[in-house]
Amino acid sequence: MVKITFSITDTPTADTGLDALAYLEGDMQVYLHDKLFTSLPRTLLLDFAGFAQRWLDDHSAQTSAYLPMNREEAVLSIEKAPEAGLYRFSSARAEKGDFPPVKEEAIAAAFGAFLAELEKTLRK
């Protein structure tokens, strides 16, 4: 099971000169198997949305996915586990404990739910 929560903590004003939505940030928590895996404060909402969408679009061709987009700056990564259909999450900020790999379907469902909720939030 994978669950993602995201609470918007900062909504920039339109006077940033760019689209303020690009700078929405908040606190994100990722739960694996009903236990908090990692908490990522001050995460850019659209960075995570892009990460989730990239994984949904083409995770079978990749050995891993990173947030942000490259390994050197990664605060969250998802890599294929040796077992078919399973993926392992990793993060330098991970909580202590054993977090077994999760099923592909669980990640897809969590990311799909997150993106659907994001779309509803942004349409308000």
Side-chain angles (χ1 to χ4, degrees):
M1 174 178 169
V2 178
K3 180 180 173 189
I4 299 162
T5 62
F6 195 96
S7 302
I8 295 173
T9 58
D10 185 31
T11 307
T13 59
D15 65 354
T16 59
L18 300 169
D19 188 357
L21 290 178
Y23 295 95
L24 281 175
E25 65 181 41
D27 296 334
M28 185 175 73
Q29 292 79 36
V30 177
Y31 295 84
L32 302 178
H33 308 288
D34 295 321
K35 294 190 311 189
L36 178 63
F37 171 70
T38 190
S39 183
L40 303 170
R42 301 186 53 117
T43 300
L44 287 174
L45 179 64
L46 293 182
D47 271 358
F48 185 73
F51 169 76
Q53 190 62 59
R54 281 191 312 276
W55 191 90
L56 288 169
D57 288 345
D58 195 20
H59 64 277
S60 62
Q62 301 175 10
T63 58
S64 55
Y66 302 98
L67 172 69
M69 293 175 67
N70 62 52
R71 183 185 296 261
E72 292 77 31
E73 299 175 9
V75 294
L76 180 66
S77 67
I78 302 173
E79 305 206 8
K80 287 184 180 180
E83 306 86 1
L86 295 178
Y87 290 80
R88 184 169 297 282
F89 280 70
S90 61
S91 173
R93 299 179 184 175
E95 297 290 320
K96 301 249 186 272
D98 180 35
F99 295 95
V102 294
K103 292 182 179 181
E104 174 181 359
E105 297 83 11
I107 301 169
F111 283 176
F114 170 81
L115 292 171
E117 188 61 35
L118 171 62
E119 184 177 358
K120 281 193 251 177
T121 299
L122 295 180
R123 287 183 187 260
K124 290 180 184 179

